[in-house]
Amino acid sequence: MLEEVERWLSRRSWSVSDRPLERVLAAKRGTTVSVVLPALNEEATVGDIVGVIRRELMTEAVPLVDELVVIDSGSTDRTAEVAAAAGARVVARDAILPRIPAVPGKGEVLWRSLMVTGGEVVCFVDADLKDFSADFVTGIVGPLLTDPDVDFVKAMYDRPFGDTPGQGGRVTELVARPLLNLHWPRLAGFVQPLGGEYAARRSLLERLPFPVGYGVELGLLVDALHTVGLDALAQVDVGVRKHRHQDGQALGRMAAAIYRTAQLRLSRGHLVRPRLTQFERGEDGFVPHTYAVDTEERPPMAEITEYARRRVA
């Protein structure tokens, strides 16, 4: 590990207990905080997450979060209804920036969320978390409120796979961590580089391009490093993250998108063939299924006319 990273780990890696809630609230001093949950068919978990944030972080006694928005990216279940009943403002992905046709993908939803939120600090939380704790929000928002030199904070945590501790995050270990260590060694200190829980200053997010799909977390991390430098990045231990796990083929598609995101940043070129073929056993043997790898990125939100007009207004 680079000496610079070792120093960073001692200066910019914390535990949620390092900043008690009272300290975080005292440091808020008028800074507005938005929490965004990207959601697609998460009716089983989104209501509990919204409920915890509403009860513990959006009260008169604890006014840490100013707005809580669920961006529904085309759910076919009761995600939107459950989230609204729990107290979130629900916005349909396709209703945001309608002049730009939406494409499927998590990054697309996060990018569009900047258009319908106003917080100076934006906190992203995945909507499939189980046994959700408010520490996921206070932990990653805290450094942004207490330290003006920090611009981007990732959550870190244990990721059990079923009942087995420490075996979650398979794409992280097999794809993202090797890529970062080999090509961006200054980011080798991040425990969960692909984790979906992170917070950043709007002034940074609006300057970054957003890969539309699974590559968004790696893309934002790499681009944040190049934009504001390692010392402006941090991570906070928030405990244990339990969530719904993807099957192996979905992980393969995720890995391909992440590799493509890295390759684009290394060369600013294009894949020769942005497709991934996988196999499933059928009645007559293995059947190939070919999927497109995400090849589109959204420009920095600051370049979008509607966003600039909103800021002037």
Side-chain angles (χ1 to χ4, degrees), residues 1 4-14 156 188-191 235:
M1 184 175 290
E4 179 185 7
V5 177
E6 292 181 350
R7 292 193 298 270
W8 176 84
L9 281 169
S10 66
R11 298 186 63 252
R12 290 291 189 247
S13 289
W14 298 292
M156 56 177 167
F190 277 93
V191 176
Q235 61 184 350

Side-chain angles (χ1 to χ4, degrees), residues 3-311:
E3 290 185 10
E4 179 185 7
V5 177
E6 292 181 350
R7 292 193 298 270
W8 176 84
L9 281 169
S10 66
R11 298 186 63 252
R12 290 291 189 247
S13 289
W14 298 292
S15 167
V16 65
S17 61
D18 291 333
R19 289 176 178 78
L21 182 56
E22 296 77 12
R23 180 187 171 195
V24 174
L25 283 172
K28 191 171 188 284
R29 290 192 291 270
T31 302
T32 52
V33 176
S34 300
V35 175
V36 173
L37 276 67
L40 176 62
N41 295 330
E42 302 294 356
E43 67 176 3
T45 50
V46 68
D48 290 340
I49 298 171
V50 170
V52 169
I53 295 172
R54 293 283 303 183
R55 290 191 305 271
E56 300 187 26
L57 302 177
M58 299 183 73
T59 66
E60 185 175 348
V62 186
L64 181 64
V65 174
D66 298 283
E67 65 175 344
L68 174 55
V69 181
V70 170
I71 309 293
D72 182 20
S73 56
S75 297
T76 56
D77 65 0
R78 298 175 59 251
T79 290
E81 180 183 342
V82 170
R89 175 162 64 95
V90 179
V91 182
R93 176 200 61 195
D94 294 356
I96 307 169
L97 284 173
R99 76 171 176 86
I100 302 175
V103 297
K106 179 183 179 183
E108 178 82 355
V109 176
L110 300 185
W111 180 72
R112 289 174 186 265
S113 76
L114 297 181
M115 192 70 209
V116 293
T117 56
E120 297 159 86
V121 169
V122 182
C123 173
F124 298 122
V125 175
D126 281 350
D128 66 342
L129 302 189
K130 303 174 182 177
D131 301 330
F132 179 76
S133 167
D135 286 349
F136 275 73
V137 175
T138 59
I140 57 179
V141 167
L144 295 165
L145 298 178
T146 61
D147 191 334
D149 294 327
V150 173
D151 290 326
F152 188 98
V153 183
K154 295 281 292 191
M156 56 177 167
Y157 29 65
D158 295 321
R159 295 185 67 179
F161 186 66
D163 296 327
T164 305
Q167 295 300 308
R170 291 161 288 172
V171 176
T172 292
E173 299 304 328
L174 295 174
V175 181
R177 199 176 309 285
L179 282 171
L180 292 176
N181 276 263
L182 289 169
H183 299 295
W184 295 281
R186 296 170 70 201
L187 296 174
F190 277 93
V191 176
Q192 297 292 352
L194 299 185
E197 291 68 50
Y198 47 101
R201 300 192 192 280
R202 177 177 294 271
S203 57
L204 171 61
L205 291 174
E206 66 187 13
R207 295 156 59 196
L208 302 179
F210 278 61
V212 298
Y214 286 127
V216 63
E217 272 82 29
L218 184 135
L220 290 178
L221 188 60
V222 169
D223 292 342
L225 171 69
H226 291 311
T227 303
V228 295
L230 181 60
D231 200 52
L233 313 183
Q235 61 184 350
V236 176
D237 187 348
V238 297
V240 179
R241 183 187 197 267
K242 298 178 182 179
H243 66 111
R244 173 175 48 81
H245 291 282
Q246 303 272 11
D247 64 34
Q249 294 215 335
L251 295 179
R253 297 189 290 275
M254 184 183 301
I258 290 165
Y259 180 80
R260 176 263 169 191
T261 300
Q263 188 260 358
L264 183 62
R265 277 152 181 77
L266 286 169
S267 65
R268 291 298 166 183
H270 300 280
L271 286 177
V272 174
R273 184 177 183 272
R275 300 287 186 270
L276 175 71
T277 298
Q278 297 177 315
F279 295 87
E280 295 180 3
R281 183 181 289 278
E283 293 182 0
D284 299 320
F286 286 100
V287 179
H289 296 275
T290 299
Y291 302 89
V293 175
D294 297 321
T295 57
E296 186 170 355
E297 296 196 3
R298 294 306 190 187
M301 186 58 80
E303 298 177 6
I304 300 298
T305 302
E306 291 92 333
Y307 186 80
R309 288 174 180 163
R310 191 194 72 165
R311 297 199 66 180

